[in-house]
Amino acid sequence: MQEFLDAVVEQFQEHWIKFLTAAGFMAVGWFFGKRKAKADWAKKEFFDRINVSLNTIHDGKLYIRTVIEKNCADVFLNAVAVDTINAAARKTSEQDAIIPLEKEDHWYYLNAVLNEVAEKFASGTLKRDMHLDVKVERYLICLTCECAGDMRTRKIRAMLIKKALLQKLPKEMPQFESPRHSTRWETLKQLAAQYQKDPHKFLEVEICV
């Protein structure tokens, strides 16, 4: 035991500057991380989070339901990709909630979202493979960051909506479960217009249930 303690002391004496430097970096990282977290909470901005929400209209009422919500790092799996989409999300406006990514990058981000969503509907895919009765619909996914209206929080949002619905949104404003959902209605109208002009910003998927 004494030999082990002597070895530890010797290592510390030889490398104490490295240990002290590492501890300093950890302390600085903790300080700025805490500071950023407080600032994000004060502004209610959480660009490190991605929320996948299902948007649908039934009997003239708009329904918004969260499918999943995760840290961006757990979805996009690359620090550069996360930093890129975080920076792009801050550039959205009331007039355009779609996150402005490079044209060739949209598929990679959307496919990463699909990989997370797919497990929610895996049972339907297996049922179809077994030739069991399933319901099949085509959906669209688009990445947005809403900043208009009375938004409680601002974060990256992947909109999931039935393709047929987005292509033929009702002309009249639907009823809302909450007055704040009027922002989502404006976003959906933006998505409908963008899909006609820039379909590369959307990923079309087939969902079986």
Side-chain angles (χ1 to χ4, degrees), residues 11-25:
Q11 286 293 320
F12 181 78
Q13 290 175 338
E14 291 181 358
H15 304 288
W16 68 271
I17 295 180
K18 293 181 181 179
F19 293 142
L20 185 61
T21 300
F25 278 120

Side-chain angles (χ1 to χ4, degrees), residues 57-75:
I57 297 176
H58 287 295
D59 297 326
K61 180 179 286 190
L62 174 65
Y63 294 90
I64 303 170
R65 295 293 183 267
T66 294
V67 178
I68 58 171
E69 181 164 341
K70 290 189 174 185
N71 286 324
C72 288
D74 295 329
V75 176

